[in-house]
């Protein structure tokens, strides 16, 4: 079975990291390759499985069609950072006889441009299998693009379990996060909540266009010395060993990898109820879930975990158990391999109807 993993990503974010995790954990016996317009991203993803061919292709259907005719995959697996991404690759797949097309929605957003919405719906309605990274995300994509209930199935993003250094006791509780410094991640809300909670420090490992604003806000709130923004690194996951609590205050998410990484590290999680977060973080069982943009609720949750070491320990252990049970890269890769086998075992989907998952 020849599978071409396609990404429109031009930078390394959660969608691209998830694709790399999939490639690294994919079962043996598959003929896999990676393609996309971003040379750095394509080569980085392909390097996750040594020997994997990497193909850099110009955006648009014409270049993608030439690549598909040359590589001759059985399945095109399009990893979409947003629903309207990958249009050229999907159109080329539909013009390639016998090729099956699978798309994965990493972030369920709705375009506000009517022509783009119509094009997106037309392409998504012709897939052989349509996947989102969580049940909530699947339902949102169905509704946003009028695809019909049950047309998008769920496969949560998974990450590999890795060994981290042991955490050592600290004078103050460290509330940490891994993520881009941008408005979607809402680290301004975390800083405002932290200003109301004594005895904690905040560390956010990431980079982005909100750095200066967050640094100014930290100074304005009197958090100088209690907030660290060390930037991004290839070894960012090791920072989890410095945290006592993981916090993701996002305003929007698909199924964030960083939360699963934190759960595998045995950290209690405090996060907002957006996207697929509540599917991983079970409120009161594997973490605490609060409304987005609610500084009071987030501050209260941080006080609760600060004051109750037993709760932190219980949430962390339960979170790790839940992640190991179904949120690993191996579980994700097995699910996608089954989908690829499924679409090849049945006739190619008619290109003028909404696909339905096999019961």
């Amino acid at each position: 079975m020849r599978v071409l993993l396609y990404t429109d990503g031009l930078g390394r974010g959660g969608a691209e990291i998830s694709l790399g995790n999939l490639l690294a954990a994919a079962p043996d016996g598959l003929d896999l390759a990676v393609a996309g317009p971003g040379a750095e991203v394509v080569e980085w993803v392909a390097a996750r499985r040594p020997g994997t061919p990497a193909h850099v292709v110009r955006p648009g259907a014409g270049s993608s069609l030439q690549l598909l005719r040359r590589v001759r995959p059985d399945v095109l697996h399009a990893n979409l950072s947003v629903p309207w991404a990958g249009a050229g690759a999907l159109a080329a797949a539909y013009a390639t006889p016998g090729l099956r097309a699978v798309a994965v929605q990493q972030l369920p957003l709705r375009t506000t441009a009517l022509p783009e919405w119509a094009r997106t719906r037309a392409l998504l309605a012709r897939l052989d299998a349509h996947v989102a990274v969580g049940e909530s995300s699947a339902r949102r994509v169905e509704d946003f693009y009028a695809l019909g209930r049950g047309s998008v199935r769920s496969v949560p993003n998974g990450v590999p379990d890795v060994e981290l250094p042991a955490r050592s006791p600290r004078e103050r509780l460290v509330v940490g996060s891994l993520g881009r410094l941008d408005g979607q991640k809402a680290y301004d809300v975390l800083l405002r909540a932290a200003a109301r909670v004594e005895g904690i420090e905040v560390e956010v490992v990431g980079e982005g266009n909100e750095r200066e604003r967050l640094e100014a806000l930290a100074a304005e709130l009197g958090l100088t010395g209690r907030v660290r923004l060390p930037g991004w690194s290839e070894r960012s996951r090791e920072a989890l060993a410095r945290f006592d609590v993981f916090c993701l205050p996002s305003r929007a998410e698909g199924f964030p990898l960083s939360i699963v990484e934190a759960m595998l590290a045995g950290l209690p999680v405090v996060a907002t109820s957006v996207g697929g977060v509540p599917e991983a973080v079970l409120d009161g069982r594997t973490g605490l879930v609060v409304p987005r943009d609610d500084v009071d609720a987030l501050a209260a949750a941080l006080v609760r975990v600060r004051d109750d070491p037993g709760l932190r320990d219980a949430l962390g252990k339960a979170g790790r158990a839940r992640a190991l049970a179904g949120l690993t890269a191996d579980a994700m890769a097995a699910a996608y391999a089954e989908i690829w086998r499924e679409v090849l075992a049945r006739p190619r989907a008619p290109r003028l109807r909404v696909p339905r998952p096999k019961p």
Side-chain angles (χ1 to χ4, degrees):
M1 179 165 55
R2 298 185 302 278
V3 181
L4 181 63
L5 306 177
Y6 180 89
T7 171
D8 250 3
L10 299 178
R12 273 180 272 170
E16 293 72 36
I17 294 171
S18 177
L19 190 64
N21 290 343
L22 169 59
L23 176 63
D28 293 335
L30 298 174
D31 185 353
L32 302 170
V34 181
E40 181 182 351
V41 171
V42 168
E43 291 166 4
W44 179 84
V45 171
R48 296 292 305 278
R49 194 182 187 101
T52 300
H55 305 280
V56 179
V57 59
R58 295 190 306 275
S63 297
S64 293
L65 187 58
Q66 292 177 8
L67 174 66
L68 294 175
R69 288 174 175 171
R70 185 170 74 250
V71 176
R72 299 174 61 84
D74 300 304
V75 178
L76 175 72
H77 177 99
N79 192 60
L80 307 182
S81 55
V82 292
W84 53 92
L90 290 178
Y94 299 153
T96 303
L99 178 62
R100 306 311 200 267
V102 177
V104 180
Q105 303 292 346
Q106 291 287 343
L107 186 61
L109 297 178
R110 174 169 42 197
T111 176
T112 56
L114 183 57
E116 192 170 53
W117 180 92
R119 182 194 69 184
T120 300
R121 183 185 184 282
L123 290 171
L124 298 182
R126 290 158 170 76
L127 291 164
D128 293 280
H130 197 176
V131 182
V133 293
E135 292 291 346
S136 173
S137 294
R139 303 294 82 77
R140 287 168 68 87
V141 171
E142 290 169 353
D143 292 342
F144 287 168
Y145 295 96
L147 296 173
R149 187 61 78 227
S151 62
V152 183
R153 68 185 84 187
S154 170
V155 177
N157 280 336
V159 300
D161 187 25
V162 299
E163 186 175 350
L164 297 173
R167 290 192 294 277
S168 57
R170 300 167 184 82
E171 181 180 347
R172 289 190 289 203
L173 196 78
V174 178
V175 177
S177 191
L178 309 178
R180 298 184 312 278
L181 306 183
D182 64 23
Q184 176 193 331
K185 298 297 183 180
Y187 289 123
D188 56 309
V189 177
L190 174 57
L191 295 187
R192 294 184 189 280
R196 304 183 185 186
V197 182
E198 295 295 331
I200 69 170
E201 298 178 356
V202 173
E203 180 175 338
V204 180
V205 178
E207 199 52 78
N209 56 17
E210 289 276 296
R211 169 175 286 278
E212 291 186 5
R213 178 170 175 258
L214 292 172
E215 290 173 338
L217 180 60
E220 176 188 328
L221 295 170
L223 293 173
T224 302
R226 291 176 55 196
V227 172
R228 295 187 296 276
L229 303 175
W232 186 252
S233 96
E234 292 291 338
R235 303 168 67 90
S236 61
R237 194 171 174 182
E238 294 181 2
L240 294 170
R242 301 194 295 267
F243 303 164
D244 299 295
V245 175
F246 185 85
C247 182
L248 193 66
S250 301
R251 294 182 169 100
E253 287 289 352
F255 198 96
L257 296 174
S258 61
I259 277 185
V260 182
E261 291 172 344
M263 293 168 68
L264 286 171
L267 288 172
V269 175
V270 178
T272 46
S273 182
V274 295
V277 171
E279 297 171 37
V281 184
L282 307 180
D283 189 33
R285 294 165 56 191
T286 65
L288 302 179
V289 179
V290 300
R292 67 179 182 181
D293 283 320
D294 192 330
V295 175
D296 292 338
L298 182 55
L302 294 178
V303 169
R304 186 177 172 190
V305 292
R306 179 200 64 184
D307 294 345
D308 194 338
L311 176 64
R312 295 200 301 271
D313 184 62
L315 294 177
K317 288 179 178 177
R320 176 168 171 77
R322 175 163 174 73
L324 287 173
L327 299 177
T328 62
D330 288 339
M332 173 183 66
Y336 281 122
E338 178 59 30
I339 290 172
W340 299 334
R341 286 190 289 266
E342 175 195 319
V343 298
L344 284 173
R346 54 180 166 82
R348 192 183 189 197
R351 295 312 184 194
L352 295 176
R353 70 166 178 82
V354 175
R356 298 283 178 176
K358 186 178 180 180

